[in-house]
Amino acid sequence: MFGLELPPITPEFWAILGTLILLEGLLSADNALVLAVMVRHLKGELQRKALAYGIGGAVVLRIVGVLLASYILEYWWLRAFGAAYLAYLAISHFVKHKSTEEDADGQAKGRGFWATVVLLNLTDLAFSVDSILAGVALIPRGMPREQGLTIVVIGGIIGLILMRIAATLFLKLLNKYPAFDNVAYALVGWIAVKLGVETLEAAHEVFPWVPTVHMPTALFWGVMGAIAVIGTFLATRHPVMSDAEADARAQAIVHEMDDTVADAADGRIDGR
């Protein structure tokens, strides 16, 4: 059911993989930042224990998401839901009020331990869905399902690796240039358009009365490149902190997560 097949190594393959690495890195770093803020109101070992549940949930949900990607690739109506969700995600990112860390701390203070754990895992679920759907949407519609799933699996594995190995780099980037968030979600929005167009094409084959359009591959990747280049230029114009400050904050978050994982592994986090 989850057969995998390596797709041809073409420029498009590398473009898809490169985009997945960028999105996975930014979304994973964003996830880590959110988790760190959401547990800060808890005290001592409760904070570390909640963070351990959050990290574990992120890993498990990412694996589950990769497995479910097989169904999304196969059924056009699931892709329709995916396109709608990614579009909602991008639009809501740009229109909602931007909360500061102080606002987030204030909202979290009234939550107990288990309420925080539940919200951590709901947050993990949202980030997992985001990254998996983005991976699915990047797969060309004509590509065999087994090849498309292979790329999604590679992207999911890269996401898990980036949660640790490249976490400091992407966290530092987001700390110094928060506007890189906008670049990531602008890419997600354009990916949603692509997935929506391909969904209409697939629906048209089943229901001929459904209107359909075609998006040339060159147009899709041209706009993706423009968003990346222009977005990076705009995002890096106004750093909010120095390299040293951004690196220190990134190192602190990664160090806390490393300690949490180590404690969970040897049982100390549960007091044993």
Side-chain angles (χ1 to χ4, degrees):
M1 183 170 67
F2 298 113
L4 300 178
E5 178 184 335
L6 186 66
I9 307 302
T10 63
E12 186 177 26
F13 169 82
W14 290 116
I16 293 172
L17 198 57
T19 303
L20 279 177
I21 291 173
L22 174 64
L23 289 177
E24 289 283 2
L26 289 173
L27 291 175
S28 294
D30 214 9
N31 196 358
L33 282 171
V34 171
L35 295 185
V37 171
M38 289 178 70
V39 302
R40 284 199 310 205
H41 67 289
L42 297 174
K43 302 298 183 183
E45 289 303 304
L46 286 180
Q47 182 180 115
R48 295 164 68 81
K49 189 173 182 179
L51 189 56
Y53 283 129
I55 296 170
V59 174
V60 172
L61 290 170
R62 185 63 59 91
I63 294 172
V64 172
V66 169
L67 296 178
L68 291 178
S70 173
Y71 294 101
I72 301 174
L73 285 168
E74 187 170 354
Y75 300 107
W76 69 267
W77 52 273
L78 286 176
R79 295 168 71 93
F81 282 112
Y85 176 76
L86 289 178
Y88 163 77
L89 189 73
I91 293 170
S92 64
H93 172 79
F94 288 103
V95 302
K96 71 181 180 181
H97 168 66
K98 292 285 187 178
S99 298
T100 64
E101 288 192 9
E102 289 74 16
D103 294 333
D105 281 341
Q107 295 169 3
K109 282 180 180 176
R111 298 190 194 118
F113 172 76
W114 287 112
T116 300
V117 169
V118 170
L119 286 173
L120 285 174
N121 281 277
L122 287 176
T123 301
D124 289 333
L125 176 62
F127 278 104
S128 297
V129 170
D130 300 348
S131 60
I132 296 302
L133 284 177
V136 168
L138 286 169
I139 305 305
R141 183 168 171 257
M143 178 177 287
R145 186 182 66 86
E146 292 78 7
Q147 296 181 6
L149 183 59
T150 299
I151 294 179
V152 174
V153 169
I154 293 173
I157 293 172
I158 289 173
L160 292 174
I161 295 173
L162 289 177
M163 286 179 69
R164 175 56 192 94
I165 294 179
T168 304
L169 171 64
F170 283 101
L171 281 168
K172 179 180 177 180
L173 189 66
L174 284 177
N175 282 330
K176 186 176 181 180
Y177 304 109
F180 261 111
D181 242 4
N182 296 334
V183 179
Y185 284 99
L187 290 172
V188 167
W190 180 239
I191 290 170
V193 173
K194 172 183 181 289
L195 187 57
V197 168
E198 292 180 348
T199 299
L200 287 177
E201 290 179 327
H204 181 76
E205 295 176 359
V206 181
F207 306 105
W209 50 267
V210 174
T212 184
V213 294
H214 176 69
M215 178 183 292
T217 301
L219 173 62
F220 171 70
W221 287 110
V223 174
M224 288 285 284
I227 292 173
V229 172
I230 297 173
T232 298
F233 171 74
L234 295 176
T236 54
R237 290 178 65 190
H238 303 293
V240 300
M241 61 180 67
S242 67
D243 277 338
E245 291 173 321
D247 187 58
R249 293 189 62 182
Q251 293 284 358
I253 293 175
V254 171
H255 184 266
E256 177 65 21
M257 290 188 169
D258 282 349
D259 285 350
T260 299
V261 171
D263 286 351
D266 64 20
R268 286 180 298 169
I269 202 160
D270 289 319
R272 296 193 298 271

